[in-house]
Amino acid sequence: MAEEKESTSIPLSQADNVSCEDPEDPAKSPPTSPNSSTRRACCFVLQSWVSKKFMTGIVVLFPVAVTFFITWWFIQFVDGFFSPLYSSFGIEIFGLGFITSLAFVFVIGVFVSSWMGATVFWIGEWLIKQMPLVRHIYSASKQISAAISPDQNTTAFKEVAIIRHPRVGEYAFGFITSTVTLQQENEDEELCSVFVPTNHLYIGDIILVNSKDVIRPNLSIREGIEIIVSGGMTMPQLISPIERVARPKERISMNRIG
């Protein structure tokens, strides 16, 4: 037993040296090998490459997934109008209700284009406008549908406009809805009624701007609606006023005449 105690005993000087050693001291820690540093660099590069490619895949697939989801939801939604009717007869064919709905919309368009259909539509519209809450929703939705309607009437958006609003040096997108003449003592002033959307498309401000101060870009009504609904993400990189686009054509025609 005494021999075991003597063999396990450590001198005091050596014990002090062992206790003074700090394992976390970088100067006393064993040096890292070149292989470990190379391995860490390779892992970092591989992780960065994988993350970048993964985000690229998300960016590419996100609009495709959203488009597919919305399209699929729209098909199911429209198909649900006439699918119960076919199901009552024992016909279970997916898409048949969707095709029937499209045909129904086409027939309604043909019917409303006639004199009798226009009269029936006017009576139904008059009944809707007598309802307290529904008439406001109907009026707002009708203005939006009239803006993109192929039959341009007096209630539709006329042109896309860019005006200086709300301060000098800042511009806002809007739609010209009508023109008005402001009578003054010296001379009359022609003003354009510009609708500037503030909440997507159905809420906005009506601003009267002098016709000379309105910039008319070479954009269609649908392109202007896409710009506003998308929050400016579909904005073209170059916008030219219609006057500048028309001037080169006039010069070409004049050269041909000359």
Side-chain angles (χ1 to χ4, degrees):
M1 295 295 293
E3 293 178 356
E4 293 178 358
K5 291 181 180 180
E6 290 178 0
S7 61
T8 57
S9 62
I10 301 174
L12 183 59
S13 61
Q14 296 181 2
D16 294 338
N17 293 332
V18 172
S19 61
C20 292
E21 291 180 357
D22 188 3
E24 298 180 357
D25 190 358
K28 296 181 181 180
S29 60
T32 57
S33 62
N35 294 331
S36 62
S37 60
T38 304
R39 191 181 300 110
R40 291 180 181 177
C42 293
C43 291
F44 177 77
V45 173
L46 181 62
Q47 182 180 3
S48 177
W49 182 82
V50 171
S51 300
K52 184 178 180 180
K53 298 304 179 183
F54 184 77
M55 290 302 299
T56 303
I58 292 178
V59 171
V60 172
L61 292 178
F62 179 75
V64 177
V66 172
T67 304
F68 178 78
F69 176 78
I70 295 177
T71 305
W72 182 254
W73 173 84
F74 177 76
I75 292 175
Q76 288 183 330
F77 176 76
V78 177
D79 185 76
F81 286 105
F82 289 95
S83 292
L85 179 62
Y86 288 111
S87 299
S88 61
F89 292 101
I91 302 174
E92 298 289 344
I93 300 177
F94 179 77
L96 186 59
F98 177 76
I99 297 175
T100 307
S101 299
L102 295 182
F104 177 76
V105 172
F106 176 76
V107 171
I108 291 297
V110 174
F111 177 71
V112 173
S113 300
S114 63
W115 177 83
M116 183 179 297
T119 304
V120 174
F121 178 77
W122 180 83
I123 295 173
E125 188 178 29
W126 181 82
L127 293 175
I128 292 176
K129 288 183 178 181
Q130 304 305 315
M131 302 179 183
L133 181 62
V134 179
R135 62 184 180 184
H136 299 289
I137 302 175
Y138 177 77
S139 299
S141 59
K142 184 180 179 181
Q143 291 177 1
I144 297 174
S145 62
I148 59 177
S149 174
D151 300 329
Q152 296 294 330
N153 48 32
T154 55
T155 60
F157 295 153
K158 303 300 181 183
E159 295 179 87
V160 180
I162 299 177
I163 62 174
R164 292 177 175 86
H165 176 76
R167 294 184 294 269
V168 178
E170 297 182 2
Y171 297 88
F173 263 101
F175 301 94
I176 298 177
T177 56
S178 62
T179 56
V180 60
T181 301
L182 178 63
Q183 294 182 351
Q184 297 180 353
E185 296 180 357
N186 299 331
E187 58 179 357
D188 296 342
E189 184 179 3
E190 183 180 356
L191 303 177
C192 290
S193 177
V194 181
F195 175 73
V196 179
T198 56
N199 187 356
H200 290 292
L201 195 62
Y202 50 88
I203 297 178
D205 300 328
I206 298 176
I207 302 174
L208 297 177
V209 186
N210 193 310
S211 301
K212 299 179 182 179
D213 297 332
V214 176
I215 302 175
R216 294 173 170 84
N218 56 339
L219 298 173
S220 63
I221 300 297
R222 295 188 180 183
E223 290 175 341
I225 293 175
E226 290 178 358
I227 291 173
I228 293 175
V229 173
S230 65
M233 291 186 290
T234 60
M235 181 84 66
Q237 296 182 354
L238 181 62
I239 298 177
S240 301
I242 297 178
E243 290 79 4
R244 292 188 60 183
V245 176
R247 285 174 185 175
K249 296 181 179 179
E250 293 177 357
R251 292 177 182 175
I252 293 173
S253 62
M254 292 296 294
N255 293 333
R256 289 180 178 178
I257 293 174

